[in-house]
Amino acid sequence: MNVIDESGILAIATRLQRLSDQLRKDGVLIYKANGIDFEPKWFPVIYTLHLRSVLSVVEIANEIGYTHPSTISLLKELEKVKLIRSKKDKTDERKRLIQLTPKGQELIEQMKPVWDVMIAALTELTATQNNLLLAIAEVEEQMKRLSMFERAKRIGRLTN
Amino acid sequence: MNVIDESGILAIATRLQRLSDQLRKDGVLIYKANGIDFEPKWFPVIYTLHLRSVLSVVEIANEIGYTHPSTISLLKELEKVKLIRSKKDKTDERKRLIQLTPKGQELIEQMKPVWDVMIAALTELTATQNNLLLAIAEVEEQMKRLSMFERAKRIGRLTN
DNA sequence: TGAATATATGTAGTTAACTACGTAGTTTTA
DNA sequence: TAAAACTACGTAGTTAACTACATATATTCA
């Protein structure tokens, strides 16, 4: 992938995605090597419920930064493997309240030492001159102030 | 997305992907605002052909770091909108040689000033304390030396 | 030189996110 | 207090990458 590396910042979206994919694939391998039946894509939901215990579908979606349909399909999977369960909110019939099952809580306890190993491996990987995690946070912050599109408009004085 | 931001490095794959998506979406808007009919996902192929002029399917796939089936589907789209064309390699009948059409070359000339604006906007966005592009390159380099999985094995002394 | 292996391309099906749209409750307001 | 607007959830269909498999041509080697 010479050309993409050399094209510099224009291909940054491609490179971000590729890096994300690679890390996620390694995540799968690490869980598997530890005998844990868990997919990295479930992490945001499970971790959120670990911290907040009972949340509605949309609350989870907001916490993890996904759309609610994406969240619903994750929740369906997690319900199927019995890591979470849900019940109607009695005070607001529109809402479905989600929480971990005992099995889900046990799995989290099993995963905690694996998470520690992952944190260590990731910290090692990203402890370079320019820290990736900090760089992401900084760029997210910059984008909150003014998106790439807004910046391009300003720079290029677009009519639109 | 409070929880994900707070969960730190464990959710780094999720955050990388989200950032990539946002940048790509803004890319679409910027092309559109400049009256250019171009999708950011086409960039790697088009930019590669711009630099190398004639390549086979697999050569392009390697340059852009995608699998060849993904590359084939991009090439199909690009052929449909007549930005590229292909012909059989006479010395090796297995190969299909791909190149830009005149329309493709014209479009590149049209896009160049837009690319400059994008480069400026992205440079502005990522010129923070920890430079995102450099951080990516550094992590890619680290992963080439030893993947996250290998590091986790070493750290956790896994049996597998 | 023919059999085995390797390479190039292609197809089918999967995945994990998305957008667009619909419905049912809840809240606000005229 | 009925209509309008909003909120929560769900479904259907799309997208952009992937893996697995199939086939045709080229190369290597016994």
Side-chain angles (χ1 to χ4, degrees), chain A residues 73-108:
Chain A
S73 91
L74 286 174
L75 293 174
K76 263 186 197 156
E77 282 181 47
L78 287 166
E79 208 150 11
K80 205 168 176 182
V81 296
K82 301 206 161 47
L83 294 177
I84 64 162
R85 61 199 160 92
S86 65
K87 56 170 198 266
K88 271 251 170 293
D89 183 335
K90 278 167 189 164
T91 70
D92 184 342
E93 288 272 306
R94 294 169 305 175
K95 286 190 187 174
R96 223 176 98 206
L97 297 178
I98 315 292
Q99 60 187 319
L100 291 168
T101 58
K103 183 185 167 191
Q105 283 165 350
E106 273 165 45
L107 184 63
I108 287 175

Side-chain angles (χ1 to χ4, degrees), chain A residues 74-155:
Chain A
L74 286 174
L75 293 174
K76 263 186 197 156
E77 282 181 47
L78 287 166
E79 208 150 11
K80 205 168 176 182
V81 296
K82 301 206 161 47
L83 294 177
I84 64 162
R85 61 199 160 92
S86 65
K87 56 170 198 266
K88 271 251 170 293
D89 183 335
K90 278 167 189 164
T91 70
D92 184 342
E93 288 272 306
R94 294 169 305 175
K95 286 190 187 174
R96 223 176 98 206
L97 297 178
I98 315 292
Q99 60 187 319
L100 291 168
T101 58
K103 183 185 167 191
Q105 283 165 350
E106 273 165 45
L107 184 63
I108 287 175
E109 292 310 314
Q110 261 187 67
M111 286 193 288
K112 275 183 179 170
V114 179
W115 288 348
D116 288 339
V117 169
M118 286 181 174
I119 289 169
L122 286 168
T123 302
E124 212 182 278
L125 262 179
T126 60
T128 50
Q129 207 164 358
N130 292 272
N131 184 289
L132 183 62
L133 188 58
L134 293 176
I136 292 169
E138 287 162 6
V139 172
E140 283 172 350
E141 185 55 39
Q142 289 290 93
M143 287 183 63
K144 221 179 281 169
R145 282 190 213 160
L146 206 61
S147 73
M148 176 186 169
F149 178 56
E150 291 297 331
R151 286 169 200 268
K153 273 209 296 198
R154 210 183 45 187
I155 292 164

